[in-house]
Amino acid sequence: MNSQSKIKRIVIGVFLLVIGIMTYAASSGKLTTAPQNLLGAMAVPFQKVAASVSNKFDLWMDKKININNIIEENEQLKKELSKLRSKQILYDQLAQENNEYKKLLNVSEDVFNYETVDASVIGRDGMDKFYSFTIDKGDNHGIEVNDVVMTSDGVVGVILETGPNFSKVATILSPAVSIGCFVGRDRDIGVASGNYNLAENGACVVDYLPKETTAKEGDIVSSSGYGTVFPKDLIIGTVETVTIDESGNSMTAKVKPAADIMNVKFVFVITNFN
């Protein structure tokens, strides 16, 4: 059977179907509504498809709107979280400063007569064996070279270099920093400074102690005030060991700094102690 015969059979079939519907409509008194019914019956599948497409489109739009709302809400939450983190950082810094000020009360009454600038450590030189670091205050804050840097625990070092809003600090672990000092209850006089071999372990030394010194393990080492850089009676550290020096003419003490030189994060810079 060729394609033309198939088409003829389909056309005849449709024609007979229409005649049948019209005949039924005439016998039931619904002839006038037959075309509408026929068209309605033919339209039902298309209406179902259209309704399905419409529903799916509505669902897609709802999901798209919900996704946009979620994205917007997520961005808002990120902003709020960022603000909270900033507040937390500020709170932590203020809390740390507050604790440092509280501990500073026990250092020396003279500290309250000094002019100081508080500062935060913002960088460290990873190649420096003596743990030098950079703080966030400088010339604009009245800081000058050789100003003393300390924490509430004790002396940290001195200002080595300044910029408008930063300063570099040389610590007491460096041989370049020397402090006239008292040791022990007899207040034997010596010079505290950094030592290349001890710096790695976070220790420094006191040289030129008298041979008859009574200094022993646990004794306090404090600044003597000799010179123009360090005020008197700032805590430097405590004695760990006392040995005779190479010359045999004096004693040397290994000292553990009172301040945590390697991990200090917040300091005070003494800008004037006259």
Side-chain angles (χ1 to χ4, degrees):
M1 182 182 295
N2 57 32
S3 58
Q4 290 183 348
S5 298
K6 288 182 179 180
I7 293 173
K8 288 180 179 180
R9 287 178 177 274
I10 292 171
V11 170
I12 292 171
V14 171
F15 177 75
L16 292 175
L17 176 62
V18 171
I19 293 297
I21 293 172
M22 295 297 289
T23 302
Y24 171 76
S27 64
S28 59
K30 298 180 179 180
L31 182 61
T32 57
T33 61
Q36 292 90 334
N37 292 338
L38 178 60
L39 290 174
M42 295 176 65
V44 167
F46 296 101
Q47 290 174 338
K48 288 182 178 180
V49 172
S52 177
V53 171
S54 177
N55 290 336
K56 289 182 179 179
F57 179 76
D58 290 340
L59 288 174
W60 179 79
M61 286 299 296
D62 289 342
K63 288 181 179 179
K64 184 176 178 64
I65 293 172
N66 287 336
I67 290 173
N68 290 336
N69 290 339
I70 291 172
I71 293 174
E72 183 178 352
E73 183 179 357
N74 187 47
E75 290 300 320
Q76 185 63 32
L77 289 173
K78 284 182 179 179
K79 291 179 181 179
E80 292 179 5
L81 181 59
S82 178
K83 290 180 181 179
L84 288 174
R85 284 176 175 168
S86 298
K87 289 181 179 179
Q88 182 64 44
I89 291 172
L90 179 60
Y91 171 80
D92 290 342
Q93 182 176 350
L94 291 175
Q96 183 180 11
E97 291 179 8
N98 188 50
N99 288 333
E100 291 293 328
Y101 280 121
K102 284 181 178 179
K103 289 191 289 184
L104 191 61
L105 292 172
N106 299 318
V107 175
S108 170
E109 291 183 0
D110 291 335
V111 172
F112 296 102
N113 297 321
Y114 304 157
E115 294 179 15
T116 63
V117 174
D118 56 270
S120 296
V121 176
I122 57 174
R124 286 188 177 274
D125 184 354
M127 302 298 293
D128 183 15
K129 184 175 181 178
F130 309 114
Y131 299 93
S132 64
F133 57 84
T134 303
I135 58 175
D136 63 350
K137 301 292 173 62
D139 297 332
N140 294 342
H141 307 88
I143 294 176
E144 299 177 352
V145 172
N146 286 332
D147 282 347
V148 177
V149 180
M150 61 179 296
T151 68
S152 57
D153 294 317
V155 177
V156 173
V158 296
I159 297 296
L160 183 65
E161 178 185 342
T162 63
N165 57 356
F166 73 92
S167 299
K168 293 184 178 180
V169 178
T171 73
I172 59 174
L173 299 181
S174 169
V177 178
S178 297
I179 311 170
C181 63
F182 294 131
V183 181
R185 61 183 179 180
D186 290 337
R187 295 170 75 82
D188 291 329
I189 297 174
V191 177
S193 63
N195 179 281
Y196 189 85
N197 295 323
L198 297 178
E200 185 176 358
N201 297 319
C204 57
V205 297
V206 173
D207 291 315
Y208 311 118
L209 288 171
K211 289 185 67 174
E212 64 276 10
T213 182
T214 59
K216 62 184 183 303
E217 181 181 356
D219 281 350
I220 297 295
V221 180
S222 61
S223 59
S224 64
Y226 179 77
T228 59
V229 176
F230 290 86
K232 187 178 180 180
D233 290 335
L234 295 180
I235 301 299
I236 298 172
T238 56
V239 174
E240 289 190 329
T241 60
V242 180
T243 57
I244 192 165
D245 71 3
E246 294 179 355
S247 69
N249 297 321
S250 61
M251 304 297 286
T252 297
K254 178 183 175 184
V255 176
K256 179 182 179 181
D260 186 0
I261 307 295
M262 299 178 181
N263 301 299
V264 64
K265 295 180 175 62
F266 179 82
V267 297
F268 299 98
V269 182
I270 300 176
T271 56
N272 190 349
F273 59 90
N274 294 325

